[in-house]
Amino acid sequence: MKDLRRYLALKYIQYLVLSSSNAVSTLLGLLGSAYTMILLHSAKVSSKSTTVFISSLAQADILVFLSLVSDVVLGSFAAGISPTASALARILLMANAHLSCVLLSCVALEAYLITFLPSESRPHRTVRKARLICRVIWALVAAECVLLLMDERLRASGGSALGLLLQLCSTAAALLRSLSYVLGILLRIINVYIYYKIFFSMSPR
């Protein structure tokens, strides 16, 4: 559907084109996700693997809403709670960005398979497998959030008794941040290549 294609275009611009999200793109993304979640419950939208990825992409914006709530609600209490609220809000936004980038790449990869390997890839492009992939992606990002939040908490508490744990957690968090940065660049390159190939394969010769 045209509305879903527009939503995907908005998300690609928000997460894979813009260097960082701003207030306007975040608000448009939230509104687009809310509309898409309603649209996906319509009988006009068939249940396909692509719609599973798009549904998960729209649900990822719930993390943006939770980030705003934690920043406003928790940040309004005592000063000791405010740093925790700030860290939680930042990690939720990061989780949303990582989820969105990976899910958008899944949509791009599926578009590539449909264009160039429609028959060969059909057994793999099922709703069941798409749901499994989405669960794995959510689980990995959730584990990333837990690790980063532990790192924030240990840094805030400090203490010599937690020295080794703090060091291990900080090292793992630093490696994870570096890996996320590299992966983000690779996903941008891969998405550009995929749509470049699709565009020129469909262009009149």
Side-chain angles (χ1 to χ4, degrees):
M1 294 180 67
K2 289 184 178 180
D3 288 341
L4 293 181
R5 288 196 290 269
R6 292 192 188 101
Y7 173 69
L8 286 175
L10 170 64
K11 285 298 178 179
Y12 275 110
I13 293 172
Q14 182 180 359
Y15 290 108
L16 296 173
V17 176
L18 297 177
S19 58
S20 60
S21 296
N22 52 51
V24 175
S25 65
T26 300
L27 179 60
L28 289 175
L30 284 171
L31 293 175
S33 293
Y35 174 72
T36 300
M37 290 178 71
I38 296 172
L39 185 64
L40 289 172
H41 285 86
S42 170
K44 297 179 181 179
V45 180
S46 58
S47 179
K48 297 180 179 179
S49 54
T50 303
T51 57
V52 173
F53 289 126
I54 295 174
S55 175
S56 191
L57 177 65
Q59 291 169 14
D61 269 4
I62 295 174
L63 298 177
V64 177
F65 178 75
L66 293 177
S67 171
L68 296 174
V69 170
S70 66
D71 206 15
V72 172
V73 176
L74 294 179
S76 63
F77 289 103
I81 302 177
S82 185
T84 302
S86 177
L88 179 60
R90 187 172 66 253
I91 290 172
L92 287 173
L93 286 177
M94 176 217 65
N96 169 256
H98 291 178
L99 275 169
S100 299
C101 288
V102 176
L103 289 169
L104 285 169
S105 298
C106 289
V107 174
L109 177 60
E110 189 167 48
Y112 180 89
L113 294 174
I114 291 171
T115 304
F116 296 103
L117 300 167
S119 301
E120 298 89 336
S121 63
R122 186 172 290 112
H124 305 289
R125 293 185 286 104
T126 63
V127 171
R128 180 175 174 274
K129 290 184 178 180
R131 286 173 178 164
L132 178 61
I133 291 171
C134 289
R135 291 191 190 104
V136 171
I137 293 171
W138 275 88
L140 290 174
V141 173
E144 179 187 18
C145 291
V146 170
L147 178 59
L148 294 178
L149 193 57
M150 282 178 57
D151 181 50
E152 294 284 348
R153 293 288 294 176
L154 289 172
R155 285 179 181 275
S157 61
S160 57
L162 298 174
L164 180 59
L165 180 60
L166 175 60
Q167 185 177 3
L168 289 174
C169 193
S170 297
T171 302
L175 289 173
L176 187 58
R177 290 187 182 98
S178 300
L179 179 62
S180 299
Y181 177 76
V182 174
L183 183 60
I185 295 175
L186 287 175
L187 288 179
R188 283 174 170 83
I189 295 172
I190 291 170
N191 276 270
V192 169
Y193 172 77
I194 288 175
Y195 283 111
Y196 169 85
K197 291 282 289 183
I198 292 174
F199 175 78
F200 281 100
S201 70
M202 298 177 65
S203 298
R205 301 183 184 278

